[in-house]
Amino acid sequence: MVKKLRNYIGGSWVDSTATNFTPVVNPATCELLAECPDSPRADVDKAVKAAQEAYEEWRRTPVLSRAQYMYRFKNLLEERFEDLVEVVVKENGKTRDEARGEVRRGIESVDYAVSVPTVMRGYKVEDISSGIDETAERQPMGVFAAITPFNFPMMVPLWFLPTAITCGNTYIVKPSPQTPLSMELVYELLDELDLPEGVVNLVLGGKEASLAVMEHPGIVGVSFVGSTPVAKIVYETCAKHGKRVQAQGGAKNYIAVMPDANMEASVANIMGSAYGCAGQRCLAGSVVVAVGDAYEPLKNELVKRASGLRVGYGLSETTQMGTVISASAKERIESMIQMGVEEGAQPLLDGRGVKVEGFENGTFVGPTILDGVTPEMKVAREEIFGPVLSIMHVPDFDTAVEVINKSRYGNAASLFTSTGKYAREFKYRVNAGNIGINVGVAAATASFPFGGQKESFFGDLHGQGPDAIEFFTDRKILIERWL
Ligand code: NAD
């Protein structure tokens, strides 16, 4: 019997009223791990009611006591670290080390939430007028929710939930139906904390549950992470329903390499950026822009290193690159490679049809390198979200910046160089939310805001850091005169 997953509402595991279920499949072994309910609106409604009922008592719980739950949550996450890693690998297909990185990043967001009693402070000015004092206080707002993607099933919900509840809000997570098991385990740990019932809730499902979250009048704000088309829908729908919204979308990240870059270190970094998590990272490097004489040595070294990557099952410690998420993702990525070839790119390394012994039906795509890519080609413009690296050759730094700024996405961009002037110019001129200088994956840590620009982000306050405190609280102004 395959396990049918349940929602977590009002402090208990409850059956969904769903009639449809999505199979949750290990993408390497094809084992059916569980069935994820496609929770209907009624289930979301139940979760919102539980979260609303919990809110009044929870916001009156002293902030220091709320933070204490986060210390205990962190300890439980540390104790179960390798179990969390294993769940991520099994349902997502990434390697153990990549999953370790993900769980570590998730725990860092819990560490940040512990600082809420300090960072949630307001401010005051005495005698703003004669005998009148003015204060701005931060208050929680009610029920918040997150709608999250498959590629970081553990880390992304943890970007939001710990800070939101420590600020005094109550919470609902709606994870990806492709990877619901990570949150199931996290909620088992949250259950052990004995939080007041209804402070944290989990509703499993897809589009219908997402829509119910976006439209529900009882939810004050939504954090979304996923693809750009859905981010747009979430931004518009939430705004229409009077909610706060931060919607992090897709990406097409460029990496420029100058001839004066340390080639060995640059290539090692680019490999991690392009092929880490099989390219299924919103910060994955997707196009390398080789400037002038950097082209030949860079191309040769990339092909050499990428062809040596060991593709396999993520649970094996020797695997260097795991699967992509599903058979349909594999089909989409392979058709993008084909499209690149038809557009005139040369496949220096072609990962289509790669087979892994013992896992013949696994959804593997091998590392791929397309050379001779130009800015007009679809492979240069559209998110592939797989282990495909395109190489472009440009004559100079200014052309590199021009090409990068033509992209409709603006999540991340990196430059490899040993010249400070280029580094400064790159940071100054490139329109992307996260800039790496000699760093291939410019991922903001938990105490800094994380978000992109252009079609990679819709909203104003980013996830994490001080922006998260702003997002999860409202400012109330108090003007006092005592006669
Ligand atoms: P997705 O957009 O398909 O799904 C994300 C979430 O939205 C899931 O919970 C899904 O159930 C829900 N959803 C899907 N279609 C919907 C619809 N029409 N209406 C309402 N909800 C819907 O994304 P994915 O495939 O799970 O994740 C990969 C994408 O996420 C990539 O584009 C990647 O770049 C992006 N991503 C961005 C960031 C970032 O910080 N910018 C981080 C991680 C992933």
Side-chain angles (χ1 to χ4, degrees):
M1 274 292 281
V2 176
K3 179 164 132 183
K4 278 196 159 59
L5 301 177
R6 292 190 293 173
N7 292 328
Y8 183 85
I9 297 178
S12 306
W13 292 100
V14 292
D15 286 329
S16 164
T17 57
T19 48
N20 293 326
F21 288 79
T22 305
V24 183
V25 177
N26 179 324
T29 63
C30 298
E31 182 196 353
L32 180 59
L33 300 170
E35 291 191 323
C36 177
D38 194 359
S39 293
R41 204 167 273 268
D43 290 354
V44 172
D45 196 42
K46 207 167 156 188
V48 177
K49 283 208 178 79
Q52 282 178 314
E53 276 164 24
Y55 174 63
E56 276 310 319
E57 182 198 327
W58 181 242
R59 71 165 287 203
R60 284 168 197 277
T61 303
V63 64
L64 290 173
S65 307
R66 296 198 301 253
Q68 286 301 317
Y69 284 100
M70 291 301 109
Y71 284 105
R72 284 168 39 216
F73 185 31
K74 177 191 165 76
N75 285 340
L76 289 178
L77 291 164
E78 295 287 5
E79 276 167 25
R80 299 290 299 277
F81 192 90
E82 286 300 326
D83 295 336
L84 293 160
V85 164
E86 196 165 317
V87 174
V88 172
V89 173
K90 281 188 172 166
E91 68 174 354
N92 172 279
K94 62 180 73 175
T95 68
R96 260 192 210 272
D97 268 352
E98 289 160 355
R100 287 182 182 124
E102 157 161 17
V103 176
R104 179 55 54 209
R105 280 293 174 112
I107 293 175
E108 284 167 9
S109 294
V110 180
D111 293 342
Y112 181 70
V114 163
S115 71
V116 162
T118 311
V119 294
M120 194 181 162
R121 280 179 190 157
Y123 43 92
K124 178 167 188 168
V125 177
E126 276 187 340
D127 288 319
I128 203 82
S129 183
S130 181
I132 296 182
D133 304 333
E134 185 165 0
T135 312
E137 288 171 5
R138 289 194 180 282
Q139 294 190 333
M141 296 174 64
V143 183
F144 278 84
I147 301 171
T148 56
F150 78 80
N151 65 328
F152 284 96
M154 189 78 64
M155 178 187 78
V156 171
L158 292 178
W159 281 350
F160 308 111
L161 180 148
T163 302
I165 66 169
T166 313
C167 284
N169 304 288
T170 54
Y171 214 72
I172 300 169
V173 174
K174 202 298 289 167
S176 165
Q178 295 187 96
T179 52
L181 295 170
S182 298
M183 274 304 105
E184 186 195 41
L185 181 48
V186 164
Y187 271 74
E188 275 170 20
L189 303 186
L190 287 167
D191 186 60
E192 284 183 42
L193 295 181
D194 284 327
L195 283 157
E197 290 170 4
V199 171
V200 292
N201 305 275
L202 176 69
V203 179
L204 303 176
K207 252 191 202 176
E208 188 178 348
S210 290
L211 199 62
V213 163
M214 294 183 248
E215 293 179 348
H216 203 294
I219 294 177
V220 296
V222 174
S223 302
F224 171 84
V225 180
S227 60
T228 288
V230 182
K232 276 186 190 166
I233 295 173
V234 173
Y235 187 59
E236 288 168 9
T237 313
C238 287
K240 190 169 154 203
H241 290 270
K243 295 185 201 322
R244 286 189 172 194
V245 56
Q246 44 185 197
Q248 300 182 200
K252 187 81 193 172
N253 304 311
Y254 282 69
I255 299 178
V257 182
M258 298 300 292
D260 67 0
N262 174 329
M263 213 43 83
E264 204 185 323
S266 306
V267 169
N269 254 270
I270 296 167
M271 293 292 296
S273 178
Y275 302 118
C277 299
Q280 298 170 116
R281 270 202 295 229
C282 68
L283 293 175
S286 182
V287 182
V288 162
V289 185
V291 178
D293 293 345
Y295 172 69
E296 282 296 333
L298 182 62
K299 179 182 75 171
N300 296 339
E301 201 53 29
L302 281 171
V303 173
K304 195 167 113 202
R305 295 283 298 267
S307 43
L309 275 179
R310 277 190 304 277
V311 179
Y313 186 24
L315 277 188
S316 153
E317 291 282 2
T318 55
T319 293
Q320 291 175 316
M321 196 175 89
T323 64
V324 297
I325 187 65
S326 62
S328 64
K330 176 177 157 80
E331 204 178 291
R332 190 200 69 243
I333 295 161
E334 292 186 342
S335 71
M336 290 286 287
I337 298 171
Q338 180 59 27
M339 187 198 303
V341 173
E342 284 165 17
E343 283 178 312
Q346 296 91 51
L348 301 182
L349 197 60
D350 190 340
R352 288 177 289 180
V354 75
K355 287 278 175 228
V356 174
E357 206 185 316
F359 302 96
E360 281 73 14
N361 294 321
T363 55
F364 298 96
V365 179
T368 298
I369 295 183
L370 298 176
D371 191 22
V373 171
T374 59
E376 300 72 39
M377 291 182 185
K378 252 187 164 172
V379 282
R381 289 185 287 119
E382 300 202 350
E383 184 174 38
I384 301 175
F385 221 54
V388 182
L389 185 62
S390 298
I391 303 180
M392 247 181 227
H393 188 190
V394 299
D396 51 36
F397 176 81
D398 286 336
T399 315
V401 171
E402 199 181 302
V403 162
I404 296 171
N405 279 342
K406 266 193 190 145
S407 172
R408 65 189 171 102
Y409 295 104
N411 214 35
S414 294
L415 176 72
F416 287 85
T417 184
S418 51
T419 305
K421 184 185 80 159
Y422 288 129
R424 204 258 175 191
E425 277 290 292
F426 192 83
K427 183 264 305 176
Y428 193 83
R429 284 164 57 188
V430 167
N431 301 322
N434 303 282
I435 299 289
I437 300 295
N438 298 316
V439 169
V441 180
T445 53
S447 57
F448 284 81
F450 175 54
Q453 297 182 355
K454 300 196 274 185
E455 293 205 16
S456 293
F457 181 75
F458 303 91
D460 40 19
L461 294 171
H462 292 179
Q464 301 193 146
D467 278 34
I469 305 297
E470 290 280 339
F471 189 74
F472 292 125
T473 59
D474 209 350
R475 272 88 64 227
K476 186 174 274 178
I477 300 301
L478 172 68
I479 300 188
E480 299 173 274
R481 170 162 55 195
W482 293 91
L483 299 173

